Amino acid sequence: MPDEPAVRELRLVVTADDYDAALHFYRDVLGLPERGAFASADGRVTILDAGRATLELTDPHHAAFIDDVEVGRRVAGHIRVAFQVDDSVAATSKLAAAGAQVIAEPTRTPWNSLNSRLEAPGALQLTLFTELDDQAEDRH
């Protein structure tokens, strides 16, 4: 009998003051497909599919190293969301046009990916990354 994972899905829950703007940004601009939408008496939630999920844990020193590589200085809080995209240059431009603040343009990293950094709706700091080598490991 194969070992079954204890966790089936990682779900990042973001509370956004401007729900409609955040939904438009992540669903319509970034392109995360809608898996479900629900409403309570005075609120709404939408579940968007972000593909394969991983939980990346880092210590403060390595987090500072990643920020230095991607941005040139320490800028992220204790949570940063990274999305793998086919073209980080085009995706960065598209998200910036939709209102995200570009913190750093796409930069080639020592782990051979092209990473950009943005401040996005829902007060999330995003890394967009494109793997430049199919053999590269996920270390973002």
Side-chain angles (χ1 to χ4, degrees), residues 25-66:
F25 182 86
Y26 292 103
R27 182 189 61 198
D28 304 328
V29 180
L30 185 57
L32 302 179
E34 188 172 313
R35 283 186 30 197
F38 308 94
S40 59
D42 59 353
R44 299 175 288 160
V45 62
T46 301
I47 300 168
L48 303 174
D49 190 344
R52 183 177 69 99
T54 60
L55 177 62
E56 180 175 320
L57 299 174
T58 184
D59 65 27
H61 297 289
H62 195 77
F65 172 72
I66 293 168

Side-chain angles (χ1 to χ4, degrees), residues 7-138:
V7 176
R8 299 280 181 212
E9 177 180 353
L10 171 66
R11 187 169 290 180
L12 177 67
V13 180
V14 175
T15 301
D17 289 333
D18 189 339
Y19 174 86
D20 291 320
L23 180 61
H24 171 71
F25 182 86
Y26 292 103
R27 182 189 61 198
D28 304 328
V29 180
L30 185 57
L32 302 179
E34 188 172 313
R35 283 186 30 197
F38 308 94
S40 59
D42 59 353
R44 299 175 288 160
V45 62
T46 301
I47 300 168
L48 303 174
D49 190 344
R52 183 177 69 99
T54 60
L55 177 62
E56 180 175 320
L57 299 174
T58 184
D59 65 27
H61 297 289
H62 195 77
F65 172 72
I66 293 168
D67 277 6
D68 189 52
V69 167
E70 292 182 3
V71 181
R73 66 189 187 287
R74 185 74 173 122
V75 295
H78 78 284
I79 294 178
R80 175 178 50 85
V81 179
F83 290 106
Q84 182 176 8
V85 296
D86 290 334
D87 182 346
S88 57
V89 174
T92 299
S93 295
K94 184 177 180 179
L95 296 185
Q101 176 191 352
V102 176
I103 298 169
E105 294 290 339
T107 302
R108 188 179 191 125
T109 68
W111 44 90
N112 206 26
S113 61
L114 194 59
N115 295 21
S116 65
R117 189 71 69 88
L118 302 102
E119 188 71 32
L124 286 179
Q125 196 166 107
L126 307 181
T127 292
L128 300 182
F129 68 97
T130 300
E131 296 293 1
L132 299 175
D133 176 5
D134 290 337
Q135 311 301 315
E137 296 179 24
D138 292 339

